[in-house]
Amino acid sequence: MAQGHEVADKWEVQLRKGCLELAILASLWGGRLYGLELLRVLEHESDLVITEGTVYPLLSRLRSEDLLDAEWVEAELGHPRKYYRLTPAGRRRVVAMARTWSRFSAKLDHLLRAVPKEEG
Amino acid sequence: MTAANGKIDSYLKRVRTGLRGLPDPEVTEILNELRAHMVERLELASGSREVAIESVLRSFGRPEQIAALYVAENLVSRAESSRTPWTILRSLFYWSTLSVIGFMVFMICVVGYGIGVCFFLAALMKPIHPQAVGLWYRNDPGNFSLHVGGFLGPAGQEHELLGWWLVPVGCSLGGGTILLTTHFALWSLRRLRSPAL
């Protein structure tokens, strides 16, 4: 039984990792965000909690793939912040990913209607 | 704030150590961004500074892990942008200095590319030394042998197996082996860059 839970946990971790790129790109749809803001949005809007430092290498990759732009902005109080925003290619990518996600999750929801939510 | 700054400095120093090999401007930008995040988190925290800085650093993860993710991103993007065996081997060599898995992947790819190059060389040398380069076999009773010849040519009663077909077969096998090795190298590098949840 414990092994079953372990497998389910691993599956959930992989699922969340797989969704992270979509969640980050979708978080930036409404406008630019800096790292800390982005983490808050991910936590509150998508229940994705990641180790804080590891979001930056991922942002760096999305930037190197030309999906994101970044710029340093002086804050009114205190230190500068590095803001990220979607590029046109990033907007196209997130639309395509959202379409795929909607189609896939709708089909899966349909399949899961027969499965009880609690073990009986 | 000074003690907290000292802890941030020491954390970022460990990140910097893990980022060796990356261009200096890139390293500076990475460290500035991490520092800005930590300082803001610290300013937002209530209660004791000591407790707050420990909490901030804990939620950031191990500095070596963050540095490794940046390095992985850099290796993958360099390897994917050129896709040449030389660039891929250089990225893998760097990875091999960081971990045992990196070393194993590097060795597998060295062997893979080596075999690919040998196939190509055989195909290339066949028109130049047709008698000396080829695939020979001997099928005496109880003594079957097969070998790819170098410059000495066949030994004794051996028969050549492919003849001029060695040229297209060598090119195809060489290209295929190099392509497969490249795919394996990129697949291995991509697996490096999974973020921690």
Short mmCIF file of all heavy atoms in Angstrom, two decimals, chain A residues 6-72:
data_model
loop_
_atom_site.label_atom_id
_atom_site.label_comp_id
_atom_site.label_asym_id
_atom_site.label_seq_id
_atom_site.Cartn_x
_atom_site.Cartn_y
_atom_site.Cartn_z
N GLU A 6 3.67 5.82 -2.90
CA GLU A 6 4.94 6.35 -3.40
C GLU A 6 4.88 6.55 -4.91
O GLU A 6 5.31 7.57 -5.44
CB GLU A 6 6.05 5.36 -3.05
CG GLU A 6 7.43 5.97 -3.04
CD GLU A 6 8.48 4.97 -2.59
OE1 GLU A 6 8.38 4.49 -1.45
OE2 GLU A 6 9.35 4.67 -3.41
N VAL A 7 4.31 5.55 -5.60
CA VAL A 7 4.18 5.63 -7.07
C VAL A 7 3.28 6.82 -7.43
O VAL A 7 3.58 7.60 -8.33
CB VAL A 7 3.61 4.31 -7.63
CG1 VAL A 7 3.25 4.47 -9.10
CG2 VAL A 7 4.62 3.19 -7.44
N ALA A 8 2.16 6.97 -6.68
CA ALA A 8 1.24 8.08 -6.94
C ALA A 8 1.94 9.42 -6.71
O ALA A 8 1.76 10.36 -7.47
CB ALA A 8 0.01 7.95 -6.05
N ASP A 9 2.76 9.51 -5.66
CA ASP A 9 3.48 10.75 -5.36
C ASP A 9 4.44 11.09 -6.50
O ASP A 9 4.54 12.23 -6.93
CB ASP A 9 4.27 10.62 -4.06
CG ASP A 9 3.33 10.63 -2.86
OD1 ASP A 9 2.16 10.98 -3.05
OD2 ASP A 9 3.78 10.26 -1.76
N LYS A 10 5.19 10.06 -6.96
CA LYS A 10 6.14 10.28 -8.05
C LYS A 10 5.41 10.75 -9.30
O LYS A 10 5.87 11.64 -10.01
CB LYS A 10 6.91 8.99 -8.36
CG LYS A 10 8.06 8.73 -7.41
CD LYS A 10 8.82 7.51 -7.84
CE LYS A 10 9.91 7.18 -6.84
NZ LYS A 10 10.50 5.87 -7.06
N TRP A 11 4.25 10.13 -9.55
CA TRP A 11 3.47 10.50 -10.72
C TRP A 11 3.03 11.96 -10.62
O TRP A 11 3.10 12.72 -11.58
CB TRP A 11 2.24 9.57 -10.82
CG TRP A 11 1.30 10.00 -11.89
CD1 TRP A 11 1.42 9.80 -13.23
CD2 TRP A 11 0.09 10.75 -11.70
NE1 TRP A 11 0.36 10.37 -13.90
CE2 TRP A 11 -0.47 10.96 -12.98
CE3 TRP A 11 -0.58 11.26 -10.59
CZ2 TRP A 11 -1.66 11.65 -13.16
CZ3 TRP A 11 -1.76 11.95 -10.78
CH2 TRP A 11 -2.28 12.15 -12.05
N GLU A 12 2.60 12.37 -9.41
CA GLU A 12 2.14 13.74 -9.22
C GLU A 12 3.29 14.73 -9.43
O GLU A 12 3.11 15.79 -10.04
CB GLU A 12 1.55 13.92 -7.82
CG GLU A 12 0.84 15.25 -7.68
CD GLU A 12 0.17 15.43 -6.33
OE1 GLU A 12 -0.14 14.42 -5.68
OE2 GLU A 12 -0.04 16.59 -5.95
N VAL A 13 4.49 14.37 -8.93
CA VAL A 13 5.65 15.24 -9.11
C VAL A 13 5.94 15.41 -10.60
O VAL A 13 6.16 16.52 -11.09
CB VAL A 13 6.89 14.67 -8.37
CG1 VAL A 13 8.15 15.41 -8.79
CG2 VAL A 13 6.70 14.77 -6.87
N GLN A 14 5.92 14.29 -11.34
CA GLN A 14 6.19 14.37 -12.78
C GLN A 14 5.13 15.19 -13.50
O GLN A 14 5.42 15.96 -14.41
CB GLN A 14 6.25 12.95 -13.39
CG GLN A 14 7.46 12.14 -12.98
CD GLN A 14 8.76 12.88 -13.23
OE1 GLN A 14 8.96 13.50 -14.25
NE2 GLN A 14 9.66 12.83 -12.25
N LEU A 15 3.86 15.01 -13.06
CA LEU A 15 2.76 15.76 -13.67
C LEU A 15 2.96 17.26 -13.46
O LEU A 15 2.84 18.07 -14.38
CB LEU A 15 1.43 15.30 -13.06
CG LEU A 15 0.18 15.99 -13.57
CD1 LEU A 15 -0.07 15.61 -15.03
CD2 LEU A 15 -1.04 15.61 -12.73
N ARG A 16 3.31 17.63 -12.23
CA ARG A 16 3.51 19.03 -11.91
C ARG A 16 4.70 19.61 -12.68
O ARG A 16 4.64 20.73 -13.18
CB ARG A 16 3.73 19.21 -10.40
CG ARG A 16 2.44 19.07 -9.61
CD ARG A 16 2.69 18.96 -8.14
NE ARG A 16 1.45 18.90 -7.41
CZ ARG A 16 0.80 19.96 -6.94
NH1 ARG A 16 1.31 21.16 -7.11
NH2 ARG A 16 -0.33 19.83 -6.30
N LYS A 17 5.77 18.82 -12.75
CA LYS A 17 6.94 19.29 -13.50
C LYS A 17 6.57 19.53 -14.96
O LYS A 17 7.01 20.50 -15.58
CB LYS A 17 8.07 18.26 -13.43
CG LYS A 17 8.86 18.34 -12.15
CD LYS A 17 10.03 17.39 -12.17
CE LYS A 17 10.82 17.46 -10.88
NZ LYS A 17 11.95 16.54 -10.85
N GLY A 18 5.77 18.61 -15.50
CA GLY A 18 5.37 18.72 -16.91
C GLY A 18 4.52 19.94 -17.17
O GLY A 18 4.52 20.48 -18.28
N CYS A 19 3.77 20.38 -16.14
CA CYS A 19 2.86 21.52 -16.32
C CYS A 19 3.53 22.86 -16.02
O CYS A 19 2.94 23.92 -16.26
CB CYS A 19 1.65 21.39 -15.40
SG CYS A 19 0.67 19.95 -15.74
N LEU A 20 4.72 22.81 -15.46
CA LEU A 20 5.35 24.03 -14.95
C LEU A 20 5.58 25.08 -16.04
O LEU A 20 5.30 26.27 -15.85
CB LEU A 20 6.67 23.66 -14.27
CG LEU A 20 7.31 24.73 -13.41
CD1 LEU A 20 6.34 25.25 -12.36
CD2 LEU A 20 8.55 24.17 -12.73
N GLU A 21 6.07 24.64 -17.18
CA GLU A 21 6.34 25.59 -18.27
C GLU A 21 5.06 26.29 -18.71
O GLU A 21 5.03 27.52 -18.86
CB GLU A 21 6.99 24.84 -19.44
CG GLU A 21 7.43 25.78 -20.55
CD GLU A 21 8.16 25.05 -21.67
OE1 GLU A 21 8.89 24.09 -21.37
OE2 GLU A 21 7.97 25.43 -22.83
N LEU A 22 3.99 25.51 -18.87
CA LEU A 22 2.70 26.09 -19.25
C LEU A 22 2.23 27.08 -18.18
O LEU A 22 1.77 28.19 -18.49
CB LEU A 22 1.66 24.98 -19.45
CG LEU A 22 0.22 25.43 -19.63
CD1 LEU A 22 0.06 26.32 -20.85
CD2 LEU A 22 -0.72 24.22 -19.75
N ALA A 23 2.37 26.69 -16.91
CA ALA A 23 1.90 27.56 -15.81
C ALA A 23 2.68 28.88 -15.78
O ALA A 23 2.09 29.94 -15.58
CB ALA A 23 2.04 26.81 -14.48
N ILE A 24 3.98 28.80 -16.00
CA ILE A 24 4.79 30.03 -15.99
C ILE A 24 4.40 30.95 -17.15
O ILE A 24 4.16 32.14 -16.97
CB ILE A 24 6.30 29.69 -16.05
CG1 ILE A 24 6.75 29.09 -14.72
CG2 ILE A 24 7.14 30.91 -16.40
CD1 ILE A 24 8.20 28.65 -14.69
N LEU A 25 4.30 30.36 -18.34
CA LEU A 25 3.94 31.17 -19.50
C LEU A 25 2.54 31.78 -19.33
O LEU A 25 2.31 32.95 -19.64
CB LEU A 25 4.02 30.34 -20.78
CG LEU A 25 5.42 29.85 -21.19
CD1 LEU A 25 5.34 28.93 -22.39
CD2 LEU A 25 6.34 31.04 -21.49
N ALA A 26 1.62 30.97 -18.80
CA ALA A 26 0.24 31.47 -18.62
C ALA A 26 0.20 32.57 -17.55
O ALA A 26 -0.58 33.53 -17.68
CB ALA A 26 -0.68 30.31 -18.23
N SER A 27 1.03 32.46 -16.53
CA SER A 27 1.07 33.49 -15.47
C SER A 27 1.47 34.84 -16.04
O SER A 27 1.08 35.88 -15.53
CB SER A 27 2.06 33.11 -14.37
OG SER A 27 1.73 31.88 -13.82
N LEU A 28 2.28 34.80 -17.10
CA LEU A 28 2.79 36.05 -17.67
C LEU A 28 1.87 36.60 -18.76
O LEU A 28 2.18 37.63 -19.37
CB LEU A 28 4.20 35.82 -18.25
CG LEU A 28 5.27 35.56 -17.18
CD1 LEU A 28 6.52 34.97 -17.81
CD2 LEU A 28 5.62 36.85 -16.44
N TRP A 29 0.75 35.93 -19.01
CA TRP A 29 -0.16 36.37 -20.08
C TRP A 29 -0.69 37.78 -19.79
O TRP A 29 -0.82 38.61 -20.68
CB TRP A 29 -1.32 35.38 -20.21
CG TRP A 29 -2.22 35.73 -21.33
CD1 TRP A 29 -3.40 36.43 -21.26
CD2 TRP A 29 -2.02 35.43 -22.72
NE1 TRP A 29 -3.94 36.57 -22.51
CE2 TRP A 29 -3.12 35.97 -23.42
CE3 TRP A 29 -1.03 34.76 -23.43
CZ2 TRP A 29 -3.25 35.85 -24.81
CZ3 TRP A 29 -1.16 34.65 -24.82
CH2 TRP A 29 -2.25 35.20 -25.48
N GLY A 30 -0.98 38.05 -18.52
CA GLY A 30 -1.57 39.35 -18.16
C GLY A 30 -0.58 40.49 -18.12
O GLY A 30 -0.97 41.65 -17.98
N GLY A 31 0.69 40.23 -18.21
CA GLY A 31 1.69 41.31 -18.16
C GLY A 31 2.97 40.85 -17.49
O GLY A 31 3.08 39.70 -17.09
N ARG A 32 3.90 41.78 -17.36
CA ARG A 32 5.21 41.41 -16.84
C ARG A 32 5.17 41.11 -15.34
O ARG A 32 4.37 41.69 -14.60
CB ARG A 32 6.22 42.52 -17.14
CG ARG A 32 5.94 43.77 -16.35
CD ARG A 32 6.95 44.86 -16.63
NE ARG A 32 6.81 45.92 -15.64
CZ ARG A 32 7.55 47.02 -15.62
NH1 ARG A 32 8.45 47.22 -16.57
NH2 ARG A 32 7.38 47.92 -14.68
N LEU A 33 6.04 40.21 -14.91
CA LEU A 33 6.17 39.86 -13.49
C LEU A 33 7.65 39.65 -13.19
O LEU A 33 8.40 39.25 -14.07
CB LEU A 33 5.44 38.54 -13.18
CG LEU A 33 3.91 38.48 -13.31
CD1 LEU A 33 3.45 37.04 -13.13
CD2 LEU A 33 3.24 39.38 -12.27
N TYR A 34 8.05 39.90 -11.94
CA TYR A 34 9.41 39.51 -11.56
C TYR A 34 9.34 38.20 -10.78
O TYR A 34 8.25 37.74 -10.43
CB TYR A 34 10.12 40.63 -10.81
CG TYR A 34 9.54 41.03 -9.48
CD1 TYR A 34 10.05 40.51 -8.29
CD2 TYR A 34 8.49 41.93 -9.41
CE1 TYR A 34 9.52 40.88 -7.07
CE2 TYR A 34 7.95 42.30 -8.20
CZ TYR A 34 8.48 41.76 -7.02
OH TYR A 34 7.95 42.13 -5.81
N GLY A 35 10.50 37.60 -10.53
CA GLY A 35 10.56 36.24 -10.01
C GLY A 35 9.68 35.96 -8.81
O GLY A 35 8.90 35.00 -8.80
N LEU A 36 9.78 36.82 -7.80
CA LEU A 36 9.02 36.59 -6.57
C LEU A 36 7.52 36.66 -6.81
O LEU A 36 6.74 35.84 -6.30
CB LEU A 36 9.45 37.62 -5.52
CG LEU A 36 9.03 37.36 -4.08
CD1 LEU A 36 9.46 35.98 -3.61
CD2 LEU A 36 9.62 38.43 -3.16
N GLU A 37 7.11 37.65 -7.63
CA GLU A 37 5.68 37.78 -7.98
C GLU A 37 5.19 36.52 -8.70
O GLU A 37 4.10 36.01 -8.43
CB GLU A 37 5.48 38.96 -8.94
CG GLU A 37 5.33 40.30 -8.29
CD GLU A 37 5.07 41.37 -9.34
OE1 GLU A 37 5.76 41.37 -10.39
OE2 GLU A 37 4.20 42.20 -9.12
N LEU A 38 6.03 36.06 -9.61
CA LEU A 38 5.67 34.89 -10.40
C LEU A 38 5.46 33.67 -9.49
O LEU A 38 4.49 32.91 -9.65
CB LEU A 38 6.77 34.61 -11.42
CG LEU A 38 6.57 33.42 -12.34
CD1 LEU A 38 5.37 33.64 -13.26
CD2 LEU A 38 7.80 33.17 -13.18
N LEU A 39 6.35 33.52 -8.51
CA LEU A 39 6.22 32.39 -7.58
C LEU A 39 4.91 32.48 -6.80
O LEU A 39 4.24 31.47 -6.55
CB LEU A 39 7.41 32.37 -6.62
CG LEU A 39 8.71 31.85 -7.22
CD1 LEU A 39 9.89 32.20 -6.32
CD2 LEU A 39 8.65 30.34 -7.42
N ARG A 40 4.55 33.70 -6.39
CA ARG A 40 3.29 33.90 -5.64
C ARG A 40 2.09 33.52 -6.51
O ARG A 40 1.16 32.87 -6.07
CB ARG A 40 3.17 35.36 -5.20
CG ARG A 40 4.24 35.82 -4.25
CD ARG A 40 3.96 35.34 -2.83
NE ARG A 40 5.03 35.71 -1.94
CZ ARG A 40 6.08 34.92 -1.66
NH1 ARG A 40 6.18 33.72 -2.19
NH2 ARG A 40 7.02 35.31 -0.82
N VAL A 41 2.13 33.96 -7.78
CA VAL A 41 1.02 33.65 -8.69
C VAL A 41 0.92 32.13 -8.87
O VAL A 41 -0.18 31.57 -8.81
CB VAL A 41 1.22 34.34 -10.07
CG1 VAL A 41 0.19 33.86 -11.08
CG2 VAL A 41 1.14 35.85 -9.91
N LEU A 42 2.06 31.49 -9.09
CA LEU A 42 2.05 30.03 -9.29
C LEU A 42 1.46 29.33 -8.06
O LEU A 42 0.67 28.40 -8.18
CB LEU A 42 3.47 29.51 -9.53
CG LEU A 42 4.11 29.81 -10.87
CD1 LEU A 42 5.54 29.32 -10.91
CD2 LEU A 42 3.31 29.16 -12.00
N GLU A 43 1.84 29.82 -6.89
CA GLU A 43 1.39 29.18 -5.65
C GLU A 43 -0.11 29.37 -5.46
O GLU A 43 -0.82 28.43 -5.12
CB GLU A 43 2.17 29.81 -4.48
CG GLU A 43 2.05 29.03 -3.20
CD GLU A 43 2.92 29.64 -2.11
OE1 GLU A 43 3.93 30.31 -2.44
OE2 GLU A 43 2.58 29.44 -0.93
N HIS A 44 -0.59 30.60 -5.69
CA HIS A 44 -2.00 30.88 -5.40
C HIS A 44 -2.94 30.45 -6.52
O HIS A 44 -4.06 30.02 -6.26
CB HIS A 44 -2.19 32.38 -5.11
CG HIS A 44 -1.50 32.81 -3.85
ND1 HIS A 44 -0.64 33.88 -3.80
CD2 HIS A 44 -1.50 32.27 -2.60
CE1 HIS A 44 -0.17 33.99 -2.57
NE2 HIS A 44 -0.67 33.02 -1.82
N GLU A 45 -2.50 30.58 -7.75
CA GLU A 45 -3.41 30.32 -8.87
C GLU A 45 -3.35 28.89 -9.39
O GLU A 45 -4.29 28.43 -10.03
CB GLU A 45 -3.10 31.26 -10.05
CG GLU A 45 -3.09 32.74 -9.72
CD GLU A 45 -4.48 33.28 -9.49
OE1 GLU A 45 -5.42 32.74 -10.10
OE2 GLU A 45 -4.62 34.23 -8.70
N SER A 46 -2.22 28.22 -9.17
CA SER A 46 -2.12 26.89 -9.77
C SER A 46 -1.70 25.82 -8.78
O SER A 46 -1.54 24.67 -9.15
CB SER A 46 -1.12 26.92 -10.94
OG SER A 46 0.18 27.12 -10.43
N ASP A 47 -1.48 26.21 -7.51
CA ASP A 47 -1.10 25.22 -6.50
C ASP A 47 0.27 24.60 -6.80
O ASP A 47 0.58 23.53 -6.32
CB ASP A 47 -2.19 24.13 -6.42
CG ASP A 47 -2.17 23.45 -5.07
OD1 ASP A 47 -1.70 24.07 -4.11
OD2 ASP A 47 -2.61 22.29 -4.98
N LEU A 48 1.06 25.28 -7.62
CA LEU A 48 2.40 24.78 -7.92
C LEU A 48 3.40 25.47 -7.01
O LEU A 48 3.65 26.67 -7.14
CB LEU A 48 2.77 25.08 -9.38
CG LEU A 48 2.27 24.10 -10.43
CD1 LEU A 48 2.45 24.69 -11.83
CD2 LEU A 48 2.99 22.78 -10.33
N VAL A 49 3.95 24.73 -6.08
CA VAL A 49 4.95 25.31 -5.17
C VAL A 49 6.30 24.72 -5.57
O VAL A 49 6.49 23.50 -5.50
CB VAL A 49 4.64 24.95 -3.71
CG1 VAL A 49 5.67 25.57 -2.78
CG2 VAL A 49 3.24 25.40 -3.34
N ILE A 50 7.22 25.56 -6.01
CA ILE A 50 8.53 25.02 -6.40
C ILE A 50 9.61 25.64 -5.51
O ILE A 50 9.43 26.71 -4.94
CB ILE A 50 8.85 25.24 -7.89
CG1 ILE A 50 9.01 26.71 -8.21
CG2 ILE A 50 7.79 24.65 -8.75
CD1 ILE A 50 9.49 26.90 -9.64
N THR A 51 10.72 24.93 -5.42
CA THR A 51 11.86 25.46 -4.67
C THR A 51 12.26 26.78 -5.31
O THR A 51 12.53 26.83 -6.52
CB THR A 51 13.03 24.45 -4.73
OG1 THR A 51 12.52 23.18 -4.39
CG2 THR A 51 14.14 24.83 -3.78
N GLU A 52 12.25 27.86 -4.49
CA GLU A 52 12.32 29.21 -5.07
C GLU A 52 13.47 29.43 -6.05
O GLU A 52 13.28 29.99 -7.11
CB GLU A 52 12.37 30.24 -3.94
CG GLU A 52 11.08 30.28 -3.16
CD GLU A 52 10.99 31.43 -2.19
OE1 GLU A 52 11.78 32.38 -2.31
OE2 GLU A 52 10.11 31.37 -1.32
N GLY A 53 14.65 28.96 -5.66
CA GLY A 53 15.81 29.24 -6.50
C GLY A 53 15.75 28.57 -7.85
O GLY A 53 16.36 29.04 -8.81
N THR A 54 14.98 27.48 -7.96
CA THR A 54 15.02 26.72 -9.20
C THR A 54 14.13 27.30 -10.30
O THR A 54 14.16 26.83 -11.42
CB THR A 54 14.68 25.23 -8.99
OG1 THR A 54 13.34 25.15 -8.54
CG2 THR A 54 15.60 24.59 -7.99
N VAL A 55 13.32 28.33 -9.96
CA VAL A 55 12.50 28.93 -11.01
C VAL A 55 13.37 29.76 -11.96
O VAL A 55 13.07 29.88 -13.15
CB VAL A 55 11.37 29.81 -10.40
CG1 VAL A 55 11.89 31.14 -9.90
CG2 VAL A 55 10.27 30.05 -11.42
N TYR A 56 14.48 30.29 -11.44
CA TYR A 56 15.30 31.19 -12.27
C TYR A 56 16.02 30.48 -13.43
O TYR A 56 16.05 31.02 -14.54
CB TYR A 56 16.26 31.99 -11.39
CG TYR A 56 15.51 32.97 -10.53
CD1 TYR A 56 15.34 32.76 -9.17
CD2 TYR A 56 14.93 34.10 -11.09
CE1 TYR A 56 14.61 33.64 -8.39
CE2 TYR A 56 14.20 34.99 -10.32
CZ TYR A 56 14.05 34.76 -8.97
OH TYR A 56 13.33 35.63 -8.21
N PRO A 57 16.60 29.30 -13.20
CA PRO A 57 17.18 28.60 -14.37
C PRO A 57 16.13 28.29 -15.44
O PRO A 57 16.41 28.36 -16.63
CB PRO A 57 17.73 27.30 -13.76
CG PRO A 57 17.98 27.63 -12.33
CD PRO A 57 16.92 28.61 -11.95
N LEU A 58 14.90 28.01 -14.98
CA LEU A 58 13.83 27.73 -15.94
C LEU A 58 13.47 28.99 -16.73
O LEU A 58 13.30 28.95 -17.96
CB LEU A 58 12.60 27.19 -15.18
CG LEU A 58 11.43 26.70 -15.99
CD1 LEU A 58 11.85 25.72 -17.07
CD2 LEU A 58 10.41 26.04 -15.09
N LEU A 59 13.38 30.12 -16.03
CA LEU A 59 13.11 31.39 -16.72
C LEU A 59 14.23 31.71 -17.71
O LEU A 59 13.98 32.21 -18.81
CB LEU A 59 12.98 32.52 -15.69
CG LEU A 59 11.71 32.51 -14.85
CD1 LEU A 59 11.82 33.51 -13.70
CD2 LEU A 59 10.48 32.82 -15.70
N SER A 60 15.45 31.37 -17.30
CA SER A 60 16.60 31.62 -18.17
C SER A 60 16.48 30.80 -19.46
O SER A 60 16.78 31.27 -20.55
CB SER A 60 17.86 31.25 -17.39
OG SER A 60 18.96 31.21 -18.21
N ARG A 61 16.02 29.54 -19.31
CA ARG A 61 15.85 28.70 -20.51
C ARG A 61 14.76 29.27 -21.43
O ARG A 61 14.95 29.37 -22.64
CB ARG A 61 15.46 27.27 -20.12
CG ARG A 61 15.01 26.46 -21.34
CD ARG A 61 15.11 24.98 -21.12
NE ARG A 61 14.19 24.47 -20.14
CZ ARG A 61 12.94 24.08 -20.42
NH1 ARG A 61 12.48 24.19 -21.65
NH2 ARG A 61 12.17 23.60 -19.48
N LEU A 62 13.61 29.66 -20.83
CA LEU A 62 12.51 30.19 -21.64
C LEU A 62 12.95 31.47 -22.37
O LEU A 62 12.54 31.73 -23.48
CB LEU A 62 11.28 30.47 -20.76
CG LEU A 62 10.67 29.21 -20.12
CD1 LEU A 62 9.58 29.59 -19.13
CD2 LEU A 62 10.11 28.28 -21.19
N ARG A 63 13.84 32.20 -21.71
CA ARG A 63 14.38 33.40 -22.34
C ARG A 63 15.30 33.04 -23.49
O ARG A 63 15.26 33.65 -24.56
CB ARG A 63 15.12 34.20 -21.28
CG ARG A 63 15.34 35.62 -21.66
CD ARG A 63 16.07 36.33 -20.57
NE ARG A 63 16.72 37.51 -21.10
CZ ARG A 63 17.72 38.09 -20.52
NH1 ARG A 63 18.21 37.63 -19.40
NH2 ARG A 63 18.26 39.16 -21.05
N SER A 64 16.14 32.02 -23.28
CA SER A 64 17.07 31.64 -24.36
C SER A 64 16.32 31.03 -25.54
O SER A 64 16.82 31.01 -26.65
CB SER A 64 18.14 30.69 -23.84
OG SER A 64 17.59 29.43 -23.57
N GLU A 65 15.09 30.53 -25.28
CA GLU A 65 14.28 30.00 -26.39
C GLU A 65 13.43 31.10 -27.03
O GLU A 65 12.53 30.82 -27.82
CB GLU A 65 13.36 28.88 -25.87
CG GLU A 65 14.11 27.62 -25.50
CD GLU A 65 13.23 26.56 -24.85
OE1 GLU A 65 12.01 26.81 -24.66
OE2 GLU A 65 13.75 25.49 -24.52
N ASP A 66 13.68 32.37 -26.63
CA ASP A 66 12.97 33.54 -27.16
C ASP A 66 11.48 33.53 -26.85
O ASP A 66 10.68 34.12 -27.58
CB ASP A 66 13.18 33.68 -28.67
CG ASP A 66 14.60 34.07 -29.01
OD1 ASP A 66 15.20 34.79 -28.19
OD2 ASP A 66 15.11 33.64 -30.05
N LEU A 67 11.09 32.84 -25.78
CA LEU A 67 9.68 32.86 -25.38
C LEU A 67 9.43 33.99 -24.38
O LEU A 67 8.30 34.44 -24.21
CB LEU A 67 9.28 31.52 -24.75
CG LEU A 67 9.45 30.30 -25.67
CD1 LEU A 67 9.13 29.02 -24.92
CD2 LEU A 67 8.55 30.43 -26.89
N LEU A 68 10.50 34.42 -23.71
CA LEU A 68 10.39 35.51 -22.73
C LEU A 68 11.44 36.58 -23.01
O LEU A 68 12.51 36.29 -23.52
CB LEU A 68 10.62 34.99 -21.31
CG LEU A 68 9.68 33.94 -20.74
CD1 LEU A 68 10.09 33.61 -19.31
CD2 LEU A 68 8.24 34.43 -20.77
N ASP A 69 11.07 37.82 -22.65
CA ASP A 69 12.02 38.94 -22.61
C ASP A 69 12.24 39.29 -21.15
O ASP A 69 11.35 39.05 -20.33
CB ASP A 69 11.38 40.17 -23.28
CG ASP A 69 11.86 40.34 -24.69
OD1 ASP A 69 12.89 39.74 -25.02
OD2 ASP A 69 11.18 41.07 -25.44
N ALA A 70 13.38 39.86 -20.84
CA ALA A 70 13.61 40.28 -19.45
C ALA A 70 14.26 41.65 -19.44
O ALA A 70 15.02 42.00 -20.35
CB ALA A 70 14.50 39.27 -18.75
N GLU A 71 13.91 42.44 -18.42
CA GLU A 71 14.56 43.76 -18.27
C GLU A 71 14.65 44.10 -16.79
O GLU A 71 13.78 43.74 -16.00
CB GLU A 71 13.79 44.84 -19.02
CG GLU A 71 12.37 45.03 -18.55
CD GLU A 71 11.67 46.20 -19.20
OE1 GLU A 71 12.35 47.07 -19.76
OE2 GLU A 71 10.43 46.26 -19.13
N TRP A 72 15.75 44.77 -16.44
CA TRP A 72 15.92 45.24 -15.07
C TRP A 72 15.19 46.57 -14.92
O TRP A 72 15.34 47.45 -15.76
CB TRP A 72 17.39 45.43 -14.73
CG TRP A 72 18.11 44.13 -14.50
CD1 TRP A 72 18.82 43.43 -15.41
CD2 TRP A 72 18.18 43.41 -13.28
NE1 TRP A 72 19.33 42.29 -14.82
CE2 TRP A 72 18.96 42.26 -13.51
CE3 TRP A 72 17.65 43.62 -11.99
CZ2 TRP A 72 19.23 41.32 -12.52
CZ3 TRP A 72 17.93 42.68 -11.00
CH2 TRP A 72 18.70 41.54 -11.27
#
